[in-house]
Amino acid sequence: MSPSSDKLSKSYRSIEKAVNGFGRYRKRWEVLLSWGRFGAIGITPLLLWLLLDWAFEFPLLVLFGSFVVVAVVAIVALLKWVVVPPWRRVRRDHEANVIEELHGKLNNRIIGSLQLGGEVLAEKVDEASSSPPMIRTLVTRTAELLAETKLKTLLDLRRTWKFLGVAAVVLAGYGSLVHYAPQVYQDRYFRTIEGYYTLLDLLFPVDFEVSPGDRRIVRGDAIELRVKVIGARRDEVKLVRIFEETGENVTEVLKLKNDSAAITFEGDGTAANFRYRFEYANE
């Protein structure tokens, strides 16, 4: 390799190294910007949803429907701003164009040096239409110019820091709830599940089988009240007894086993007349 070719090769590699280094640096900050967007935009609706339901307790169907909306927003944001950006490849020619655009005074020197210099090194230059000495001079001067330029300072990182700051505030909000009001998460979880069950109950109503129905017994005798909830999605049912003499309501919560539950009353439990009903999901 001639001295001129060796100098061209070193200058060419120097340009490639500078451009690729800038590309990796820009990618890191682009990833941080995307993560900041996710924290500032993607999960903020979910935090607002938690706080609003904590404060006002939405109707269960509204709660579940709004949760689906904020969950979809969070998932799309996760894919777009967290999962995908780290996999973006650093493309040399694209980064060269970015540098030239940000710098404003390079006038295609970098992309020209990379393309023409590569052709000279590969000995693919048509000397009738191009001048190898001029290309060597272009590549050498471009390499020197890049060596003198602090490429990292071309990036404006203010927007990234703003998004990261907002994301930090949002994450602090989540953390504050964990520390000061952890029941908010647990309550929202159970209420959302209940909202889902309520929707299913509307679409696919359950059927009751109750026994023994309306029955007269001797005061103090034993009686077993049974219920079967066909298609039950919850694991409990309520028995409400209304005593006719006092008007008092007494409620017992019964656990369902194989969609069925039973309870026996005797003695004082059957000493007064009462009407009863079973409730499932406040129905």
Side-chain angles (χ1 to χ4, degrees), residues 12-37:
Y12 184 84
R13 288 198 301 271
S14 174
I15 295 173
E16 278 196 320
K17 181 179 179 181
V19 171
N20 289 330
F22 172 82
R24 288 190 295 270
Y25 178 78
R26 192 174 74 88
K27 177 184 175 180
R28 286 196 294 270
W29 281 100
E30 285 290 334
V31 169
L32 287 176
L33 173 61
S34 296
W35 290 357
R37 283 174 171 158

Side-chain angles (χ1 to χ4, degrees), residues 8 114-132 135-136:
L8 173 64
L114 290 172
Q115 293 176 351
L116 296 175
E119 292 178 0
V120 171
L121 290 173
E123 298 181 351
K124 296 181 179 179
V125 173
D126 182 3
E127 297 191 12
S129 59
S130 301
S131 171
I135 294 175
R136 292 189 181 94

Side-chain angles (χ1 to χ4, degrees), residues 93-142:
D93 289 355
H94 175 70
E95 299 303 326
N97 287 325
V98 171
I99 294 172
E100 291 174 349
E101 182 179 349
L102 293 175
H103 190 282
K105 297 181 180 180
L106 293 175
N107 299 322
N108 296 322
R109 291 177 64 101
I110 301 176
I111 193 69
S113 297
L114 290 172
Q115 293 176 351
L116 296 175
E119 292 178 0
V120 171
L121 290 173
E123 298 181 351
K124 296 181 179 179
V125 173
D126 182 3
E127 297 191 12
S129 59
S130 301
S131 171
M134 290 182 63
I135 294 175
R136 292 189 181 94
T137 301
L138 171 66
V139 173
T140 300
R141 290 181 177 177
T142 301

Side-chain angles (χ1 to χ4, degrees), residues 215-223 265 270 273-274:
R215 178 180 173 185
R216 293 180 179 275
I217 63 171
V218 177
R219 292 176 184 268
D221 282 359
I223 184 174
F265 296 101
T270 58
N273 293 335
F274 63 85

